[in-house]
Amino acid sequence: DIQMTQSPSSVSASVGDRVTITCRASQGLSSWLAWYQQKPGKAPKLLIYAASSLQSGVPSRFSGSGSGTDFTLTISSLQPEDFATYYCQQAYIFPRTFGQGTKLEIK
Amino acid sequence: QVQLQESGPGLVKPSGTLSLTCVVSGGSISSNNWWSWVRQPPGKGLEWIGEIYHTGSTYYNPSLKTRVTISVDKSKNQFSLKLSSVTAADTAVYYCASLTIFGVVQYFDYWGLGTLVTVSS
């Protein structure tokens, strides 16, 4: 299985801050990676697919980059509704695997 | 817009079989999507269980493969999950989700609300 490791596991930030979350895969994924946002008690929501493509309806302050084994999710200017847990997921090979999550908290 | 809704018992006894159904609305289960189950133990991360195409083709997580069956009922526009020989470790919120092709690769784009299944006597 491909292991997905996110860092940090949690981060505290303020509204308006720029935040970057990193995801590292145990083997190369090309660009076949997605980012999801999950709020408490809710289902995950697709934000980014193919490493850098913004899902329809997702604000442009979210962006993704990377290829191979190293990927990043950046939120350019945090809004109150962005405080949530973020997961990366590899779509390169079965079984589909997720990172352990990064919890973004209000400072 | 596709909507998914999980249903099934919220409590299953140890060694029993967990059975859930996901009804698809706003779209056809016979479309070019795959249909998946993902679970999340309380306070933990996401685990892919498996997925099915409307033809009946399936992929399962090897860690669960011996206990999992996913099936599709096109007449009811729904798909189902059965997980046998459950233990407390199978306690989780179970989500059904659709996988849509973006370019050449599929991603989870629509999700159900999730249903908590507790394994306890």
Side-chain angles (χ1 to χ4, degrees):
Chain A
D1 298 5
I2 296 179
Q3 306 304 314
M4 306 298 294
T5 303
Q6 292 181 228
S7 60
S9 296
S10 65
V11 58
S12 296
S14 301
V15 173
D17 284 353
R18 179 184 181 92
V19 170
T20 297
I21 298 169
T22 296
C23 179
R24 175 163 288 176
S26 60
Q27 66 184 76
L29 309 179
S30 183
S31 296
W32 309 135
L33 180 112
W35 289 96
Y36 299 86
Q37 176 194 66
Q38 186 179 34
K39 296 182 179 179
K42 302 295 186 182
K45 173 187 175 183
L46 179 64
L47 300 176
I48 301 285
Y49 63 92
S52 61
S53 296
L54 195 66
Q55 169 66 331
S56 175
V58 174
S60 59
R61 62 181 179 273
F62 290 92
S63 64
S65 65
S67 65
T69 60
D70 295 309
F71 302 86
T72 59
L73 172 70
T74 298
I75 311 172
S76 60
S77 178
L78 275 172
Q79 298 302 300
E81 60 268 29
D82 299 338
F83 292 95
T85 299
Y86 293 84
Y87 293 93
C88 60
Q89 177 246 323
Q90 64 85 11
Y92 184 73
I93 193 172
F94 289 111
R96 304 182 190 276
T97 49
F98 294 84
Q100 83 279 14
T102 295
K103 187 173 184 179
L104 178 52
E105 299 175 300
I106 300 174
K107 184 182 286 184
Chain B
Q1 177 166 322
V2 172
Q3 293 184 317
L4 302 103
Q5 179 66 60
E6 306 91 348
S7 63
L11 181 65
V12 181
K13 293 187 186 312
S15 77
T17 297
L18 178 159
S19 296
L20 296 174
T21 295
C22 180
V23 175
V24 179
S25 58
S28 172
I29 204 162
S30 296
S31 64
N32 196 28
N33 285 357
W34 284 72
W35 307 95
S36 183
W37 291 95
V38 176
R39 70 179 182 178
Q40 185 171 37
K44 297 188 177 180
L46 300 161
E47 180 182 31
W48 172 74
I49 299 170
E51 61 197 55
I52 190 165
Y53 196 59
H54 63 83
T55 57
S57 295
T58 55
Y59 290 100
Y60 296 136
N61 193 323
S63 67
L64 299 168
K65 187 173 184 177
T66 60
R67 298 193 293 131
V68 172
T69 302
I70 298 176
S71 59
V72 65
D73 186 336
K74 292 186 284 186
S75 68
K76 295 182 179 179
N77 221 41
Q78 66 185 37
F79 62 106
S80 299
L81 169 70
K82 290 189 184 300
L83 182 65
S84 63
S85 304
V86 298
T87 69
D90 295 309
T91 293
V93 174
Y94 285 76
Y95 294 100
C96 58
S98 66
L99 285 149
T100 296
I101 292 179
F102 291 80
V104 296
V105 178
Q106 298 156 331
Y107 298 96
F108 299 101
D109 58 344
Y110 292 105
W111 297 69
L113 298 177
T115 187
L116 174 63
V117 179
T118 302
V119 178
S120 175
S121 55

